[in-house]
Amino acid sequence: GIREQPQFGVMMHNHFGCEVHAFDPSPISVAFYRQSQELQALKNYHFHNYGAGSRDGVVNLYEYNWGQVGIIQEPAYVNASNCNNGNCQIVYPGSDQKKFALDVKTLPAIMRELGHKYIDVIKVDVEGSEYTLMESMFDELGCPPCDQFTVEWHHFSNDPRYGAGSSPELNSLVTLMHRCGFRQFHHHLEGGWPTGEDKYIEMHMHNVRYNIVSFKKIQDHKYGFARPGKR
């Protein structure tokens, strides 16, 4: 999604003349776009009030930080700092977490709707849904139908056997990207950055990390998409 930060898409539109499509079903983003005369005045900037996901239809998304929505439903946990004679308080954060029934579509469905066969840049920031979105993309399309793929990883851990550069949640997806002819050329921070939120520490999720990475297609693979004209 874009929340209230459309700068990347606006830059691609203004400086490179790109046709830009932004997707975000969160109420804060829908309201922001409707109030932004600047965005609505851009000829080739298009905002869609549904999300990108692993299936087509309505899904339950939950209140997340900074007014966003995400797939993450906060689980109950034991508050170890509030124990009395061996009995600890159980916290149920999900009971206060707002739930929204919102529309999402898969990448193939979005491409069919817009009449797109290939995309120059795909940028994914979907608050934890990137794993199922990418799995669906590989299942249905074989390979990402683009030249560049940028994604923000959420809530991953490090693999202590290999240090900061490795994660069991990410390794299989990165391997598939490599098989499709992509190579990572940028990461925001080696090993990502840890969460600073107390609730994850209280839930004993001490290794929750985030990172932003970009992949560039350097060769066409024998299966999946190839850029039109290359075959």
Side-chain angles (χ1 to χ4, degrees):
I2 63 168
R3 196 162 58 95
E4 296 171 303
Q5 298 175 322
Q7 294 90 336
F8 178 80
V10 171
M11 180 271 295
M12 296 292 285
H13 176 282
N14 292 342
H15 291 274
F16 298 101
C18 295
E19 177 183 334
V20 177
H21 292 268
F23 306 87
D24 197 323
S26 58
I28 190 173
S29 298
V30 174
F32 173 76
Y33 179 76
R34 289 174 177 172
Q35 296 169 8
S36 175
Q37 295 181 358
E38 178 184 354
L39 283 181
Q40 295 180 43
L42 298 178
K43 180 180 179 181
N44 281 320
Y45 186 99
H46 310 279
F47 177 81
H48 306 271
N49 62 350
Y50 58 85
S54 60
R55 65 176 181 173
D56 301 309
V58 177
V59 299
N60 289 327
L61 297 175
Y62 300 90
E63 185 178 34
Y64 194 55
N65 52 13
W66 302 309
Q68 302 173 107
V69 295
I71 197 173
I72 300 163
Q73 185 178 15
E74 297 177 3
Y77 62 90
V78 174
N79 186 348
S81 63
N82 191 1
C83 298
N84 184 19
N85 295 325
N87 295 314
C88 301
Q89 179 188 22
I90 299 178
V91 180
Y92 299 93
S95 61
D96 298 323
Q97 196 177 9
K98 292 181 181 179
K99 181 171 67 174
F100 303 87
L102 299 172
D103 292 318
V104 299
K105 298 181 182 182
T106 60
L107 181 58
I110 293 172
M111 293 178 68
R112 287 193 298 268
E113 180 178 299
L114 299 178
H116 293 165
K117 300 296 184 182
Y118 200 85
I119 305 168
D120 291 297
V121 179
I122 296 177
K123 180 175 178 289
V124 178
D125 182 6
V126 287
E127 311 307 323
S129 294
E130 60 272 13
Y131 304 101
T132 56
L133 183 152
M134 292 182 68
E135 290 165 1
S136 171
M137 176 183 68
F138 288 119
D139 287 343
E140 297 188 52
L141 298 177
C143 289
C146 63
D147 278 335
Q148 179 176 319
F149 191 92
T150 295
V151 59
E152 180 170 355
W153 301 123
H154 295 79
H155 310 103
F156 68 90
S157 60
N158 284 333
D159 189 332
R161 297 174 299 171
Y162 301 107
S166 180
S167 163
E169 293 88 351
L170 308 185
N171 287 347
S172 59
L173 293 175
V174 173
T175 297
L176 289 173
M177 293 293 287
H178 284 184
R179 291 188 63 189
C180 286
F182 287 80
R183 294 296 182 269
Q184 183 176 311
F185 68 90
H186 170 79
H187 61 259
H188 182 72
L189 185 66
E190 181 72 28
W193 63 90
T195 180
E197 298 183 58
D198 291 340
K199 63 182 179 182
Y200 292 112
I201 304 302
E202 292 176 351
M203 287 187 279
H204 305 287
M205 298 171 64
H206 300 286
N207 203 14
V208 175
R209 309 184 75 82
Y210 310 83
N211 211 346
I212 302 171
V213 299
S214 291
F215 299 87
K216 175 68 176 176
K217 191 169 189 177
I218 61 173
Q219 63 185 25
D220 289 328
H221 199 272
K222 63 182 180 181
Y223 63 86
F225 275 79
R227 187 175 180 84
K230 286 191 175 181
R231 287 185 177 174

